[in-house]
Amino acid sequence: MNTLIANPKAQYLLGAGLDVLHFESREWLDTLDFYKDEVRFFEDLLNKKEISKNNNADYEKMLKNLDKIHKDLFDDLEESIMKHEQLLSRIELAEKGLSDNDYREKHQHIYNKMNTFSNDFKTFKKIVFDYSKRLKL
């Protein structure tokens, strides 16, 4: 099932003016900045916890996952959004061969990507907190 079609807000936004879509793109970048802060918090939290030898493999795996999230996913999403914003700039400059439909299609793609990432990140946060609760301060 396509998340975008099932979400009336997404349908409304895709029919909205380009300035509204631009605002949503800026919100995505703010959300990613917030997630980056959360990742730093998780790293600090896990580094402050006492790790027993039995939990060492889980701990190392979790830190590697944090690092991967930070480097790969955040960077990839940020780059996609920035290119998306550059496309908007080119459309506003009336560059030949571009239309706002190009922007709207890309916006839909990024919207789906952000929703998937946000859901995955929420799941990851639950795992980190559950793991952290089992450790001693």
Side-chain angles (χ1 to χ4, degrees), residues 10 24 41 54 66 69 76-77 82 85 99 111 126 130:
E24 186 174 44
F41 169 78
N54 295 337
L66 280 171
I69 286 172
D76 180 54
L77 279 170
M82 296 306 291
E85 288 298 283
S99 69
Y111 178 91
K126 288 177 187 176
D130 288 343

Side-chain angles (χ1 to χ4, degrees), residues 7 31 34-35 38-39 42 66 69 73-74 113-130:
N7 185 334
T31 299
F34 178 72
Y35 287 167
E38 285 188 311
V39 167
F42 296 147
L66 280 171
I69 286 172
L73 298 176
F74 285 137
K113 223 170 149 177
M114 279 296 297
N115 277 343
T116 299
F117 179 76
S118 292
N119 289 333
D120 290 347
F121 193 69
K122 287 175 190 174
T123 301
F124 181 75
K125 287 183 347 182
K126 288 177 187 176
I127 293 168
V128 170
F129 284 124
D130 288 343

Side-chain angles (χ1 to χ4, degrees), residues 5-64:
I5 293 172
N7 185 334
K9 177 186 173 198
Q11 284 299 105
Y12 169 76
L13 285 174
L14 286 177
L18 293 177
D19 58 330
V20 174
L21 299 181
H22 166 69
F23 181 77
E24 186 174 44
S25 295
R26 301 305 308 167
E27 285 181 328
W28 292 337
L29 291 172
D30 291 343
T31 299
L32 290 176
D33 285 341
F34 178 72
Y35 287 167
K36 285 179 184 182
D37 288 340
E38 285 188 311
V39 167
R40 283 189 287 277
F41 169 78
F42 296 147
E43 288 173 341
D44 289 345
L45 176 70
L46 292 172
N47 285 330
K48 289 178 183 175
K49 295 284 186 171
E50 184 180 315
I51 308 300
S52 71
K53 291 182 182 179
N54 295 337
N55 291 329
N56 208 15
D58 289 341
Y59 175 75
E60 288 178 20
K61 183 178 178 183
M62 193 168 305
L63 287 180
K64 286 180 184 176

Side-chain angles (χ1 to χ4, degrees), residues 62-123:
M62 193 168 305
L63 287 180
K64 286 180 184 176
N65 284 338
L66 280 171
D67 193 45
K68 179 164 179 53
I69 286 172
H70 184 258
K71 288 183 179 169
D72 296 341
L73 298 176
F74 285 137
D75 292 348
D76 180 54
L77 279 170
E78 277 185 329
E79 184 178 332
S80 294
I81 295 167
M82 296 306 291
K83 285 181 180 177
H84 182 55
E85 288 298 283
Q86 290 169 357
L87 175 59
L88 176 60
S89 178
R90 292 169 49 210
I91 290 169
E92 288 178 339
L93 293 172
E95 186 175 311
K96 289 185 180 182
L98 295 179
S99 69
D100 66 356
N101 193 46
D102 296 331
Y103 185 79
R104 292 175 191 283
E105 287 178 16
K106 184 66 177 171
H107 196 87
Q108 177 179 354
H109 176 74
I110 295 172
Y111 178 91
N112 290 334
K113 223 170 149 177
M114 279 296 297
N115 277 343
T116 299
F117 179 76
S118 292
N119 289 333
D120 290 347
F121 193 69
K122 287 175 190 174
T123 301

